[in-house]
Amino acid sequence: MVALGGGHGLFASLSALRMVTDRLTAVVTVADDGGSSGRLRRELGVLPPGDLRMALAALCGDDEWGSTWSEVVQHRFRSEGELHGHAVGNLLIVALWELLGDPVAGLDWVGRLLGAHGRVLPMASVPLDIVAEVELDGVISTVRGQVACAMTPGRVQAISLVPEDPPARPEAVAAVLEADWVVFGPGSWFTSVLPHLKVPELARALHETRSKRLVTLNLAPQAGETDDFSPQQHLEVLRQHAPDLSIDVVLADTGVVDDPDALEKAAAALGARLVMADVAAADGSPRHDPRRLASVLDEIFLQKR
C-alpha cells in the first residue's frame, strides 16, 4: 500500500492502513512553510520535516515503545526562547539529515528507532512552494506558500508548484509503481493531496502504475481551502488537476453525503465506484475513526465491498 498526503489527514489514513497491511509506504508533501517546519526550512535549507514526522508518529505501534516514541517526536517545546514551538521529532529528523546527508536514509533511521510499521518518503527531493489561484468576489489573485494558501480569504481554484518541475524522490516513484493500492486523502485537498499530481515524475507514475487507486474523502470542508465544498466538488477538482487519472474506488462517510446520486456521478466520471460507510469518529467530530476506517478499507482491498 502507498498512502499520499500530509498532515492530519495522512496521519488518519496511516493510522488505519497500518492495521491492514505490514507493507505500507507514506509519500508525503514537502511544501510546509509555517511553524517549526518553516523555521527549520528557512534557517537550514532542508525539506520541511513536520508532515514527515507526523507520518512516522502515525506508524508507531500501540505497545509501550511505540506509544512513548510517538509522544516524544510529537512533543513541542514551550519556552520564551528560540526553541518555543519546535517539535522534538523535527529536530531529530533534521539532525539525522545533517549527519547522513540523505533525507531518505535519515527518515529510515528515525523509523527504525520508533519501530514504525511502514516507511515514510518525501514526494520530492527539494522543498516546494504551493502557488494558488484564489477567487474572491469575482477577482482572481495569486497566493504563494502553503500557510498563505490555507489562510487566504476566497476560494482556491487551482494550484501549481515552485519549482515547476521538481525532482521526485526515486524511492517514492518506485513505491507507487510497485504498489497494489494507492490511497489519496483524506487531508487538505489543495495543499496536501493535489500537490502529488504536480510533481511530473510522480504524477507519471500515478498514471502508469498498475495499482488500484482509492480516494478517501474528507469529513468536512477545510477552512480557507475548501469552504462550502461538497464531497463531489472535491472529486471534480481532482479531475480538473488530473483529467486522465482513473480512480477505482471513492470512499465517503455516510453521514456527510447529502446527495449520493451527485457523488456517485462524480465518482463515475473518474472511473470509480462509490463506497459509503460509517468511518467517522463516534463522538461526532470530523475525524476518521482508525478502526472503522481500517475495517472498511480491508473489505475494499479484499473485494468484499
Side-chain angles (χ1 to χ4, degrees), residues 5-7 10 28-29 32 37 48-56 120 146 192:
L10 182 60
V28 185
T29 52
D32 192 3
S37 285
D51 286 350
L52 297 159
R53 179 202 80 243
M54 285 192 68
L56 285 163
V120 173
Q146 181 170 312
S192 290

Side-chain angles (χ1 to χ4, degrees), residues 199-241:
V199 177
E201 293 169 280
L202 185 58
R204 188 159 50 248
L206 289 167
H207 282 77
E208 293 176 355
T209 181
R210 290 193 228 175
S211 67
K212 293 187 177 181
R213 306 169 188 87
L214 180 145
V215 173
T216 304
L217 288 173
N218 293 341
L219 297 173
Q222 181 83 14
E225 278 195 35
T226 54
D227 293 303
D228 303 320
F229 267 42
S230 65
Q232 53 268 26
Q233 282 176 292
H234 285 76
L235 297 183
E236 290 162 5
V237 167
L238 175 60
R239 191 180 178 201
Q240 288 165 12
H241 282 76

Side-chain angles (χ1 to χ4, degrees), residues 54-143:
M54 285 192 68
L56 285 163
L59 293 175
C60 286
D62 294 323
D63 59 358
E64 184 182 13
W65 181 273
S67 60
T68 300
W69 274 110
S70 180
E71 289 182 15
V72 169
V73 297
Q74 295 283 61
H75 177 75
R76 290 185 185 273
F77 294 105
R78 294 286 177 263
S79 74
E80 299 298 323
E82 292 295 321
L83 276 176
H84 178 73
H86 274 306
V88 172
N90 288 357
L91 301 177
L92 177 62
I93 289 168
V94 172
L96 278 162
W97 286 347
E98 289 195 344
L99 288 169
L100 301 175
D102 181 348
V104 170
L107 291 167
D108 286 343
W109 271 91
V110 178
R112 287 166 61 188
L113 173 65
L114 272 55
H117 295 207
R119 196 180 192 197
V120 173
L121 301 170
M123 72 174 184
S125 298
V126 297
L128 304 175
D129 279 335
I130 295 173
V131 177
E133 295 178 12
V134 181
E135 184 271 330
L136 180 62
D137 298 329
V139 177
I140 303 292
S141 60
T142 300
V143 177

